[in-house]
Amino acid sequence: MAGRRRLAEYQAKRDFTKTGEPKGESGGAGSGDQFVVQRHRARRRHYDLRLELDGVLVSWAVPKGPTLDPDVRRMAVHVEDHPREYAGFEGVIPSGEYGGGDVIVWDRGTWAPAETDDPGKAIENGNLHFDLFGEKLVGRFVLVRKGRGESEAGKEQWLLLHKHDEYAQRGWDPEEHPASVKSGRTNEEVAADPDATWHSDRPAAEAEVRTRPEGPTSAELAALDALGAKGTWNFGGHRLALTNLDKVLFPAAGGHPAITKRELIAYYATVGPVMLPYLADRPLNTHRFPDGIGKPGFWQKEAPGHAPKWLRQWHYDAAGEGETQCYVVPDSPAALAWLANYGALELHAWTSKVPDVEHPTWLLFDIDPGPKTEADDLLLLARLHRTALDHLGLRGKPKVTGQRGIQVWVPIEPRYTYAETRAWAETVSRTIGRTVPELVSWEWHRDKREGLARLDYTQNVINKTLVAPYSVRPRPGAPVSVPLDWDELDDPDLRPDRWTIHTVAERLRHQGDPFAELLGAGQRLPEL
Ligand code: MN
């Protein structure tokens, strides 16, 4: 049928010579009835209306978008069918590739042909009546071909209109409803921080590349809540044996509520997709508090022998005798949930990646306040780092530690040794310190610092433990180390321990992850 012919057209536009694997499955088992409208900013912005039929997505590009307004006819260009796998796609198509731009799932639902039981034939005949049951689009629509003529691009021009029915709304404008029904985000927001990319030169089943792993679904979180004191949690394709879920790890104190291990596991599973880019491929040092923060914690680096096989590990070949041999390298939200169950409350990742662990990808400034360091002094010291980085033409951003301090993270190319980055950071830190000698001490020992702050460049060392972005800290209320935008330093409510495991998700929804734009932005360090 026409659909299959057109899918062949889609495939012909792409280069399948790179792989001999099967192309998009056409006419597979079970014919679905889903529809999707994707708002697509490519060379020109348009809305792609796609109806699932005979195993493919029959598609029209509607430049001004579909409307519920029954007095408006919209031009719709009949474009080639897309594979069914594309229906849920939301993200970025790399520029230079077919359809390069950004895509959101603007509406979706089910559809049903009307006044015909052979919609394929109706499309061939150039006149399809159909009902949509979407979140935005509802009611009876008509697609009608404008004669047999094709546009100069070789595409048929059709008209899309909404019938006068109970769902019709005069003046309804799709541009006034810009958010994705999948994520709640706009095209602009998705473009800035996509969850996935689509590569149409690949077989349909492999065309979508997730750029971040999935956190738990609401059903998975409900299942975690429903477990007793222990039980098996199916999450992220793994069966996690969880124990002591109701154990209080953070006792109630100073107005902070008590927090259980179940809540810690839920936090790490949920924040995992955002946090993992800072942990992926990096050996992990964990600060464990299996009996809660009321008892002393301890550092653990060696991956435990009872760790499940799916938990990624890395053997440090250069480790000396008596040193840690095997490190956990977290690569999924399930791995973080497993670690939380294991009492690994605080996560400290290396600043270098395996296997090239001698060359860090982050350069760090650690502003460690002393007892006499006022909140304003700390902010001043942080802002001086911003000024220094601006002056040097480098990008970097601050992060509150979740305790008292602020760090500044600078993404670098993995081409410098730790000794080189440490020497570079020391030069910058001493230059900053000279401008505010009354605030800074260079004494190694805390007792000799006279209560002043320390600018700790020595953190730029292999296997050093600097708290990871979004790690929990072992303090009442479970504060979290949170990346910031520089302007947030001006917020009068800012405190290094302002955010907790109960408020980070809300912050991420509203502000996103300020460090995301630093990922993959490795820089060269200018000569000083
Ligand atoms: Mn399109």
Side-chain angles (χ1 to χ4, degrees):
M1 82 148 270
R4 293 181 193 208
R5 200 170 63 239
R6 289 184 160 273
L7 185 61
E9 226 175 276
Y10 169 92
Q11 285 157 350
K13 290 208 171 163
R14 295 148 186 82
D15 180 11
F16 277 103
T17 54
K18 292 175 194 158
T19 158
E21 287 170 58
K23 303 161 183 63
E25 278 288 313
S26 160
S31 80
D33 59 354
Q34 64 175 326
F35 91 89
V36 63
V37 176
Q38 284 153 316
R39 188 173 183 275
H40 183 186
R41 294 193 307 168
R43 266 178 309 185
R44 294 170 71 178
R45 187 240 302 154
H46 59 274
Y47 292 71
D48 289 301
L49 167 64
R50 308 187 193 280
L51 307 175
E52 184 178 11
L53 180 64
D54 199 29
V56 299
L57 301 173
V58 187
S59 301
W60 287 262
V62 186
K64 291 189 173 171
T67 176
L68 301 175
D69 189 335
D71 298 331
V72 170
R73 296 164 168 236
R74 287 282 155 87
M75 204 252 285
V77 179
H78 196 185
V79 295
E80 66 275 20
D81 298 345
H82 273 52
R84 261 193 316 216
E85 289 86 343
Y86 190 72
F89 176 69
E90 177 166 299
V92 163
I93 301 172
S95 62
E97 295 193 22
Y98 176 79
D102 47 75
V103 176
I104 62 166
V105 177
W106 180 81
D107 197 18
R108 65 181 166 189
T110 57
W111 76 286
E115 300 171 27
T116 177
D117 49 16
D118 189 349
K121 184 89 179 163
I123 292 169
E124 276 186 11
N125 291 339
N127 191 331
L128 176 69
H129 292 234
F130 59 104
D131 293 314
L132 292 183
F133 310 94
E135 294 183 35
K136 297 173 184 171
L137 299 180
V138 278
R140 176 72 48 93
F141 288 80
V142 179
L143 272 163
V144 59
R145 187 165 53 219
K146 284 171 64 182
R148 265 280 170 196
E150 296 193 337
S151 74
E152 62 278 18
K155 300 259 170 68
E156 292 175 355
Q157 305 242 5
W158 293 51
L159 290 174
L160 173 67
L161 57 94
H162 193 284
K163 298 284 272 185
H164 288 87
D165 64 15
E166 59 189 295
Y167 302 106
Q169 277 185 47
R170 288 216 163 73
W172 197 91
D173 180 354
E175 288 292 294
E176 289 171 8
H177 306 267
S180 160
V181 295
K182 181 174 179 175
S183 67
R185 300 198 294 169
T186 62
N187 276 79
E188 288 78 4
E189 288 164 343
V190 166
D193 190 17
D195 290 340
T197 57
W198 184 271
H199 303 273
S200 53
D201 58 342
R202 299 181 190 169
E206 298 163 20
E208 178 169 352
V209 176
R210 302 288 306 175
T211 50
R212 74 174 109 237
E214 309 260 7
T217 63
S218 47
E220 284 170 326
L221 284 175
L224 174 61
D225 274 342
L227 289 178
K230 62 177 185 173
T232 301
W233 187 35
N234 291 307
F235 168 48
H238 298 292
R239 289 170 62 79
L240 293 154
L242 305 181
T243 54
N244 296 318
L245 288 168
D246 296 319
K247 181 182 271 187
V248 170
L249 294 185
F250 301 82
H256 295 289
I259 293 169
T260 63
K261 193 160 95 172
R262 189 190 313 265
E263 291 169 272
L264 183 73
I265 292 168
Y267 168 73
Y268 273 123
T270 304
V271 83
V274 179
M275 185 179 191
L276 276 164
Y278 309 104
L279 304 177
D281 296 326
R282 299 173 190 278
L284 188 71
N285 301 335
T286 66
H287 202 184
R288 290 182 61 209
F289 293 79
D291 293 313
I293 66 169
K295 305 251 171 69
F298 54 92
W299 288 98
Q300 176 141 2
K301 303 182 179 183
E302 191 79 48
H306 61 81
K309 282 204 179 64
W310 55 263
L311 193 70
R312 184 180 171 199
Q313 298 183 22
W314 170 75
H315 187 265
Y316 187 19
D317 293 333
E321 214 172 311
E323 291 184 328
T324 300
Q325 302 291 315
C326 237
Y327 288 80
V328 173
V329 180
D331 60 357
S332 63
L336 298 187
W338 186 89
L339 286 161
N341 182 64
Y342 181 55
L345 192 151
E346 207 175 32
L347 305 180
H348 295 237
W350 290 20
T351 51
S352 55
K353 292 183 173 187
V354 298
D356 183 18
V357 292
E358 300 296 332
H359 299 97
T361 69
W362 293 104
L363 179 135
L364 305 172
F365 296 99
D366 186 16
I367 309 168
D368 183 12
K372 286 190 190 159
T373 307
E374 304 281 344
D376 285 347
D377 299 338
L378 180 69
L379 294 176
L380 172 62
L381 288 167
R383 290 190 188 104
L384 287 171
H385 284 76
R386 179 186 198 177
T387 306
L389 291 178
D390 283 349
H391 178 72
L392 294 164
L394 287 172
R395 296 166 71 193
K397 288 197 179 189
K399 164 165 103 51
V400 289
T401 60
Q403 296 189 159
R404 293 194 62 222
I406 293 179
Q407 302 161 353
V408 177
W409 285 46
V410 180
I412 56 173
E413 289 183 16
R415 59 189 353 262
Y416 309 99
T417 64
Y418 276 101
E420 287 166 343
T421 58
R422 188 166 59 253
W424 192 94
E426 178 176 0
T427 303
V428 174
S429 292
R430 288 194 182 270
T431 306
I432 291 171
R434 272 196 293 274
T435 68
V436 281
E438 70 282 12
L439 298 183
V440 175
S441 165
W442 301 101
E443 290 290 340
W444 180 269
H445 287 287
R446 218 172 263 274
D447 306 352
K448 293 187 183 166
R449 285 184 211 158
E450 298 175 326
L452 300 180
R454 180 176 155 77
L455 305 181
D456 191 0
Y457 49 85
T458 67
Q459 298 288 352
N460 294 286
V461 175
I462 193 167
N463 206 340
K464 197 75 183 179
T465 53
L466 208 69
V467 69
Y470 302 106
S471 174
V472 177
R473 308 309 305 270
R475 290 288 183 278
V480 171
S481 180
V482 170
L484 304 178
D485 279 309
W486 283 111
D487 293 345
E488 292 184 85
L489 296 183
D490 302 331
D491 182 343
D493 292 333
L494 180 69
R495 291 187 318 277
D497 61 352
R498 175 175 175 181
W499 289 279
T500 72
I501 64 171
H502 291 311
T503 58
V504 164
E506 172 87 358
R507 170 181 164 83
L508 286 168
R509 263 194 301 280
H510 284 102
Q511 313 207 205
D513 171 25
F515 274 14
E517 65 179 60
L518 301 181
L519 289 165
Q523 305 165 100
R524 297 203 178 186
L525 297 175
E527 299 272 346
L528 295 171

